Amino acid sequence: MDFQSISNRAFEHAPAGENGDKDLKDIAFSAYKIYVESCFPNLVGYWPVIAGTHYKLGIFDKYYVVVLIDQGPTSFIQTLGIGNIKLNLNEIDRTNPHMIRKELFSLLNLKKRDAIFLFDKTNNYSNWRTDLERDLKENFLQHKMVMNMEPMKIFLSHKSINKDKVRNFKTILELLGFSPWLDEEAMSAGANLERSLQSGMTDSCAAIFFITPDYKDEKYLASEIDYAISRKRQDEKFSIITLVFSDENGEKGVVPNLLQPYVWKEPTNDLIALAEILKALPLEVGDIRFK
C-alpha cells in the first residue's frame, strides 16, 4: 500500500472533535496501524504501541510532537500534555527531525517500543503527509528491530590475507550485539560460494569493505561489491561502509571503481575505524544496562 493511500485512510478513520477538526495524533496512530496491518497482519495484536498506547503531546520550536508510549495490550488510553519542550540542540540540529527524535528519546526516557511523530506547524501543517510518511518509516524500522525482524548481520568483505585483522572487528561487533558475517564461519562445508555470498549480503543491514593494499576488485571480491550495490538499490537504509587502510610501508589500499561513488574513510588506527563503522551503520547500539 502506498503512503498516499495510508494517509487518506488514516484521515478518514480518525475521530473528529467538537469543531470538526481532526487531531494529528489520531491520524498518526491510525496510519501506523494501517501500515503495520498491510505488512504484518498477523502481528498487529503484538506490535509496539498498536496493541495499546498512551500519548504525550508537546511543542518543540515549529514542531507538534506526538509521543506514543507502548502499554502492551490494553484498551485504556491516557493523553498527557507536556507543553513546550526544551532540547539541548544547536540551530542546525533544531530543524533536523532525526536529531530531535534522538534527543526526545533521551529526555523523556523513552523505550524502543515507543514511537515519535513530528509535524511541522508551518503554513497550518501543510506538509503533514510528508512528515507522516517519514516517521511511519522511522518507527516501523525501529519496531522491526525490537521484534527481531530486522537483520542485524553485517557483511565483512576482505582479502583472506587480512582475516586476522577483520576477526578483531568481528569480535567487537559481536560484543555490541551485531552478527558479523565472516565467510569462514558463515558457510557450511560444500556450500556454493556465490550463493552463500549473495545470501549473506541479503541477510545483512550493511557491508563493510576493508580496503588494504591487498584488496583487489576481482573474482569473489568483485561479486561481493556487485551484491552490495544491488542490495543498496533494493533498500536505501542498507549501508556500504568502505574503510581504506595503509600497510606498514605507508601504502594505501585502492578503492575499487564501483565503490568510489560512495563515501569512504581512511582511519589511522583500528579504534578510529570502529568509530567510523558505528557512525555509518543504519542501526544504533542498544541502551546501556546491567548485564
Side-chain angles (χ1 to χ4, degrees), residues 60 85-89 94 99-101 103-104 107:
F60 173 69
I85 304 169
K86 296 182 179 180
L87 299 178
N88 186 26
L89 293 172
R94 296 176 79 87
M99 294 303 300
I100 295 172
R101 284 174 60 90
E103 286 297 307
L104 284 170
L107 176 69

Side-chain angles (χ1 to χ4, degrees), residues 148-160:
N148 294 319
M149 300 173 70
E150 188 67 17
M152 295 287 285
K153 290 185 179 180
I154 301 172
F155 193 100
L156 307 180
S157 178
H158 61 288
K159 191 73 173 178
S160 295

Side-chain angles (χ1 to χ4, degrees), residues 81-114:
I82 54 178
N84 289 312
I85 304 169
K86 296 182 179 180
L87 299 178
N88 186 26
L89 293 172
N90 60 40
E91 288 303 312
I92 295 177
D93 288 343
R94 296 176 79 87
T95 61
N96 183 335
H98 176 75
M99 294 303 300
I100 295 172
R101 284 174 60 90
K102 190 171 183 178
E103 286 297 307
L104 284 170
F105 263 89
S106 176
L107 176 69
L108 302 176
N109 195 29
L110 301 180
K111 309 302 181 186
K112 295 296 185 182
R113 291 183 65 88
D114 301 328

Side-chain angles (χ1 to χ4, degrees), residues 16 68-69 99 103 130 147 158 172 178-179 211 261 268 278 283 288:
L68 279 63
I69 310 293
M99 294 303 300
E103 286 297 307
T130 301
M147 300 285 282
H158 61 288
I172 299 300
F178 297 103
S179 300
I211 309 298
T268 54
L278 295 179
L283 308 178
I288 297 175

Side-chain angles (χ1 to χ4, degrees), residues 6-264:
I6 290 174
S7 63
N8 288 341
R9 285 184 56 190
F11 186 83
E12 293 173 3
H13 291 174
E18 294 181 359
N19 59 359
D21 293 337
K22 298 192 175 187
D23 195 316
L24 282 169
K25 77 174 179 61
D26 298 316
I27 296 174
F29 177 83
S30 181
Y32 193 47
K33 184 176 181 179
I34 293 169
Y35 188 27
V36 173
E37 283 179 333
S38 69
C39 299
F40 302 110
N42 297 327
L43 297 178
V44 174
Y46 309 96
W47 201 267
V49 306
I50 299 300
T53 189
H54 287 171
Y55 295 97
K56 287 187 177 181
L57 309 177
I59 300 294
F60 173 69
D61 284 5
K62 65 176 183 177
Y63 292 99
Y64 175 40
V65 178
V66 177
V67 181
L68 279 63
I69 310 293
D70 178 67
Q71 299 297 308
T74 180
S75 58
F76 176 69
I77 299 175
Q78 183 181 56
T79 301
L80 175 66
I82 54 178
N84 289 312
I85 304 169
K86 296 182 179 180
L87 299 178
N88 186 26
L89 293 172
N90 60 40
E91 288 303 312
I92 295 177
D93 288 343
R94 296 176 79 87
T95 61
N96 183 335
H98 176 75
M99 294 303 300
I100 295 172
R101 284 174 60 90
K102 190 171 183 178
E103 286 297 307
L104 284 170
F105 263 89
S106 176
L107 176 69
L108 302 176
N109 195 29
L110 301 180
K111 309 302 181 186
K112 295 296 185 182
R113 291 183 65 88
D114 301 328
I116 292 177
F117 290 86
L118 301 171
F119 294 101
D120 188 339
K121 298 186 297 176
T122 305
N123 296 325
N124 197 27
Y125 299 98
S126 60
N127 291 320
W128 72 268
R129 292 180 189 272
T130 301
D131 294 337
L132 178 65
E133 178 179 346
R134 177 198 64 228
D135 292 335
L136 285 176
K137 292 178 178 178
E138 287 286 339
N139 292 314
F140 187 65
L141 176 61
Q142 175 179 300
H143 291 159
K144 280 179 68 180
M145 289 187 283
V146 169
M147 300 285 282
N148 294 319
M149 300 173 70
E150 188 67 17
M152 295 287 285
K153 290 185 179 180
I154 301 172
F155 193 100
L156 307 180
S157 178
H158 61 288
K159 191 73 173 178
S160 295
I161 195 173
N162 304 129
K163 197 172 292 292
D164 286 344
K165 181 183 188 70
V166 175
R167 281 200 197 101
N168 293 334
F169 283 92
K170 176 180 182 293
T171 299
I172 299 300
L173 290 170
E174 285 176 334
L175 289 173
L176 293 172
F178 297 103
S179 300
W181 196 98
L182 195 61
D183 52 9
E184 64 179 11
E185 300 172 9
M187 293 190 297
S188 58
N192 179 283
L193 184 54
E194 282 282 0
R195 289 182 179 178
S196 296
L197 292 175
Q198 187 172 26
S199 176
M201 196 70 72
T202 300
D203 293 339
S204 298
C205 66
I208 304 174
F209 292 90
F210 294 84
I211 309 298
T212 66
D214 302 298
Y215 195 103
K216 305 297 181 185
D217 182 6
E218 58 188 13
K219 297 182 179 179
Y220 291 113
L221 294 181
S223 294
E224 292 173 8
I225 294 173
D226 290 340
Y227 293 148
I229 293 173
S230 175
R231 181 80 169 82
K232 179 69 174 178
R233 289 170 179 162
Q234 296 169 6
D235 182 0
E236 63 181 15
K237 286 192 172 292
F238 181 83
S239 293
I240 294 177
I241 304 169
T242 305
L243 302 175
V244 179
F245 296 91
S246 302
D247 62 16
E248 60 275 9
N249 298 318
E251 181 183 355
K252 290 183 180 179
V254 178
V255 178
N257 290 335
L258 286 177
L259 289 178
Q260 289 185 7
Y262 303 94
V263 174
W264 68 82

